[in-house]
Amino acid sequence: MLFRAGCLCSARIRVPEPVLLGHGRLYGSRYFLWERESRLARPVPVDIRVSVTVQQIQSRSGDQRRHFSSWASVREKVVSPKQASFLGSSSPFILVKVSCGLSIAKPQSRAPREIHTGNMPTCKPFERLPKSVVPRHYELLLQPNLKTFVFQGKETVQVEVKEPTDKIVLNALDLSIGPVEYICGDEVLKPVIVDLSAENETLTLHFTKALPLGDGKLTIIFTGELNDKMKGFYRSKYTSPSGEERYAGVTQFEATDAHRCFPCWDEPALKATFDITLRVPPKKVALSNMPVVSERQLTLEESRELVVSAGGEGEGGGGEPLRELQFSRTPVMPTYLVAVVVGEFDSIETVSRDGVLVRVYTPVGKAEQGRFALDVASKVLPYYKDYFQIAYPLPKIDLIAIADFSAGAMENWGLVTYRETCLLVDPENTSAVRKQWIALVVGHELAHQWFGNLVTMEWWTHLWLNEGYASFVEFLCVEHLFPEYDIWTQFVTETYIRALELDCLKNSHPIEVPVGHPSEIDEIFDDISYNKGASVIRMLHRYIGDEDFRKGMNMYLTRHQYGNTFTEDLWSALEEASNKPVGAVMSTWTKQMGFPTVKVVQQIQEGPNQRRLKVTQHKFCADGSTQDDSPIWMVPLTFSTSKHPTKLAHQMVLETKSSDVVLDNVFPDDWVKVNPGTVGFYRTQYPSEMLAQFVPAIRDRSLPPLDRLGLLDDLFALVQAGQTPTVEVLKLMEAFGAEEDNFTVWSSISNCLGKLGVLLSHTDFLPQFHAYGCRLLGNVAARLGWDQKPDESHLDTLLRSLVLGRLGWYGEQGTIAEANRRFKSHASGEKLIPADLRTPVYKAVLSTGDQTTYDTMLKLYREADLHEEKDRISRALGAIKDEGLLKRVLEFAMSEEVRSQDTVFVIISVAMTKVGRELAWRFLRDNWHVLTERYQGGFLIARLVKSTTENFASEERALELEAFFREHPSPGTERTVQQSVETIRLNAAWLERDREGIRSYLSSNA
């Protein structure tokens, strides 16, 4: 799933000095335990972040093992001597119940000491489903009513009873359960108690006697609502070409919402095959994961049969007979990949070079807008087949644009669902950056067909295996298809830097997050799982090389196809392919939170052509703090020199706190760059004399673009952490000067300017900063002009939009005047603004606009037929300066005119200015109940909380935020709130530290 938007907190507790006992073995300094309940016979990694010292380990299980590292969601109770004796001790213990299900014991009687933990408290106790009864195959029939928003369903599940039990426990939520029966052999059993628990999201069927071991069939009839929450089986509103309001039925099951549609074992490891049947009105398009194998017209009586069995009313009751479509059997797969869509759509199709039917479904009348995505998808499939050396295993792949969709896209096997803005391209109204984004999203979701669908993570702890890998591979395929995008350079600003910015917070989390209750899952669909995951895989890719990387990927996918895996399975395959210690290196990056700063503490010229560097590593923290017990990473270090800036001069793995590095063929005037290409996931810090050597290379651009922006971003991070004055980064940005022409470097500069602008919005000298920005951007704006040039590069098109957008935001008079002139012609229909310039023009016009401007924008919004254009307009509205109009924007965001998926981003647009920030925060508090009821947790509400609050810069606001969310808890936003509070305090400290220095510099350089 694509979304680029457990609860972590810090607590101080008093515990005795611990002795951890259990079933396991000590391997060096790491402890492994074996999970005996695991259905898969392999080690199960678990992160348990408890900051304690292990003094003693008792081993009973030989080579069976499970990783013990640093995680905990702790609940304590005293264990009796009898229970403790099982662990090899006769004294009472405190049992520490960890959210992942692992119990550890530690003695109760020793003198307590104070320790610090960074814990994610479990929102409520959670246990995974028992493995006594497991599914093998589902026969699923669904009959949605798109007028009453009710659906009926019937399923027959072939199960295997593996252990004696008198009950069957599976997942279900928001369903009414009808008749249930269990058949084993010739015997038909009916449950005596049907217990549907909304709190636990389970359906428990109690029988009068133990079920016989072996195979059986469970049949359940059920009814549900086509909800408006964009999860489970839900309704999506659209407008027909005639202007009539209609609805489609759509599924969105990841992470754990399949059981809102049908009772099931809704865990990724409990895979099964599916025979899916849909009963729908005759003129509706009906799609599922597999192709249709049979279709027939039902009689009116047959159409009402399931409705009557479920005790309700449905489509066909008193209306026209339904059409029944049966789809071919799916491969074995988890429930979260099941997909169904029923509605009105047009389509275009082709057959890929490797023989797969590729179809793109669009709103009626917009089939041609799916042409670009169709072309990309039909080329991506054979590319991945060649890269993985494994063919796409299904006969077809459908890509469908959905009007109401919470994420960007979802990788359902064979039926990938997308937001309209992530799939449709209108040549006249789609911008270059949007077209590029669509190529990446299509590449991302199709990568999942192998990495996630063919091979699936065992549990959500390993979500990053799906998302991090797909977020890396999407760039591989887009680089192959569109080399003119220079997409790997853009990876650094759009993916790598975002991950660094989040991961330096104390309220970040490791890539591998032990997930207990499913309510914790949504919060790990974040920049760590996606962007840090992709970044460390990119680092690994360079460490072992492309050939061995591809070989290892093929091993991994071949060995585990149609199965479930842990992170260690991937490392094992890549280690075997490369003969490098992949597991040892990469576990330090996936199991530890954060990343290091690699600091060059000394450089010595030894003779005419040899340079010795002393490098150290320590954890980089956003607040600039250091720890004596800082964790150690195994860091793949690389170096380049001015002799050959694009080639590696040396590479090594830094395994200790410090090391000496000797580089040959380096002369006294040569510069040495650590981490060329900005591939390693760490910050780099240089002594002043080394930094000075880079300045000429920045000005004449002999330093490659990725290294220029890497230097700037590392320095800016040090500024934010208080290790370097802000004035130093202002000076460095000026060093780029008029000669800088690279889009991605300017993206990094723009990112720095944006963060400084937010900080200085809390001061009275923001206008001086805007003047600084205008001077910095003036030359590149003059070079590019307003109009696209013949044969202009893709990156120059993106750069023009970036620069004009920033100048308009700063109120540069020439930019504002030209934007107003062009907007007047655009609004009248005389001459349309090119799609690439609309966002900067809209924001520039609104920033000086009045009621008339606002009304004109709403008129354009209402007339727009392309969702991308509606998005552009609605997300620009927050640029208005007038407080009264901003209040109207917030009211508009909650209106029927704005889809729920977009409401969040309209509110966020208001929060981007100082006056708007106050209004948006007040609005969020006043409407919190409405918002939480609308979204019921999930990515969107977490994104809203983060973006409306993190730009404050005072302790007063931090305390206000903490108090509000303490009184208004919302599962799935806990870590987000803590990250926002931490960021607010970091902003406050930064402002207090550097306010006067910045004021003085801007005044003296006006």
Side-chain angles (χ1 to χ4, degrees), residues 815-967:
T815 305
I816 298 294
E818 182 64 15
N820 275 288
R821 186 186 71 79
R822 290 175 179 250
F823 180 72
K824 184 177 179 181
S825 295
H826 177 81
S828 67
E830 179 185 341
K831 184 179 180 180
L832 293 182
I833 298 170
D836 295 293
L837 292 182
R838 288 185 196 171
T839 292
V841 167
Y842 292 165
K843 288 185 176 180
V845 169
L846 283 163
S847 69
T848 57
D850 54 16
Q851 179 71 54
T852 302
T853 313
Y854 178 70
D855 291 340
T856 303
M857 281 292 181
L858 286 189
K859 180 175 180 291
L860 291 174
Y861 177 90
R862 289 161 183 154
E863 291 172 350
D865 187 44
L866 184 69
H867 200 102
E868 178 187 342
E869 179 67 3
K870 286 183 178 289
D871 257 5
R872 262 195 294 264
I873 296 169
S874 64
R875 297 185 189 200
L877 294 176
I880 295 171
K881 299 289 199 316
D882 182 83
E883 186 171 334
L885 290 176
L886 284 174
K887 290 178 179 178
R888 290 187 58 186
V889 173
L890 292 169
E891 292 167 2
F892 170 72
M894 300 293 287
S895 72
E896 288 291 321
E897 291 193 77
V898 179
R899 294 184 182 277
S900 290
Q901 69 197 35
D902 302 320
T903 293
V904 163
F905 299 100
V906 182
I907 298 172
I908 289 171
S909 79
V910 174
M912 293 301 101
T913 63
K914 183 178 182 181
V915 62
R917 197 175 305 135
E918 301 287 344
L919 291 173
W921 170 227
R922 188 183 312 135
F923 185 83
L924 183 144
R925 286 177 291 167
D926 292 345
N927 292 273
W928 182 248
H929 176 74
V930 176
L931 290 164
T932 52
E933 178 62 27
R934 175 181 290 196
Y935 297 109
Q936 296 188 353
F939 331 97
L940 290 175
I941 195 73
R943 176 73 66 88
L944 178 62
V945 168
K946 178 180 174 67
S947 299
T948 54
T949 60
E950 67 178 356
N951 290 331
F952 289 116
S954 70
E955 178 63 18
E956 178 187 8
R957 285 294 189 219
L959 293 171
E960 186 176 85
L961 201 68
E962 287 178 322
F964 178 81
F965 286 104
R966 189 162 49 245
E967 296 170 7

Side-chain angles (χ1 to χ4, degrees), residues 45-206:
V46 172
D47 273 329
I48 307 168
R49 185 165 24 179
V50 184
S51 302
V52 296
T53 302
V54 178
Q55 292 186 333
Q56 177 185 347
I57 301 289
Q58 293 190 359
S59 172
R60 293 184 179 180
S61 63
D63 289 334
Q64 296 177 333
R65 62 194 186 191
R66 178 178 176 184
H67 179 66
F68 176 89
S69 62
S70 56
W71 157 267
S73 176
V74 180
R75 293 173 177 272
E76 297 189 353
K77 69 176 183 179
V78 174
V79 182
S80 69
K82 182 178 179 181
Q83 291 171 314
S85 68
F86 175 75
L87 297 174
S89 173
S90 58
S91 62
F93 276 72
I94 295 176
L95 182 68
V96 181
K97 180 68 175 179
V98 182
S99 65
C100 54
L102 175 67
S103 295
I104 317 167
K106 58 185 193 300
Q108 185 184 10
S109 57
R110 299 196 180 184
R113 68 184 182 94
E114 191 176 68
I115 65 171
H116 184 273
T117 67
N119 298 334
M120 179 193 288
T122 302
C123 300
K124 49 186 172 180
F126 174 74
E127 293 183 5
R128 290 171 64 172
L129 294 173
K131 305 301 189 294
S132 51
V133 180
V134 295
R136 299 301 181 207
H137 175 69
Y138 294 80
E139 294 177 15
L140 177 62
L141 168 63
L142 293 172
Q143 182 171 317
N145 185 323
L146 299 176
K147 295 178 180 177
T148 64
F149 308 136
V150 172
F151 67 89
Q152 280 81 31
K154 178 181 180 181
E155 64 179 353
T156 298
V157 189
Q158 296 177 17
V159 301
E160 179 185 354
V161 180
K162 304 183 74 173
E163 300 171 5
T165 181
D166 61 355
K167 63 183 178 182
I168 297 175
V169 184
L170 61 164
N171 295 115
L173 183 65
D174 297 338
L175 297 173
S176 298
I177 304 301
V180 180
E181 64 179 25
Y182 180 78
I183 301 175
C184 47
D186 296 329
E187 190 174 10
V188 178
L189 303 176
K190 295 185 181 295
V192 291
I193 299 175
V194 177
D195 180 13
L196 189 61
S197 170
E199 181 180 1
N200 297 318
E201 302 185 12
T202 55
L203 171 64
T204 305
L205 307 172
H206 298 265

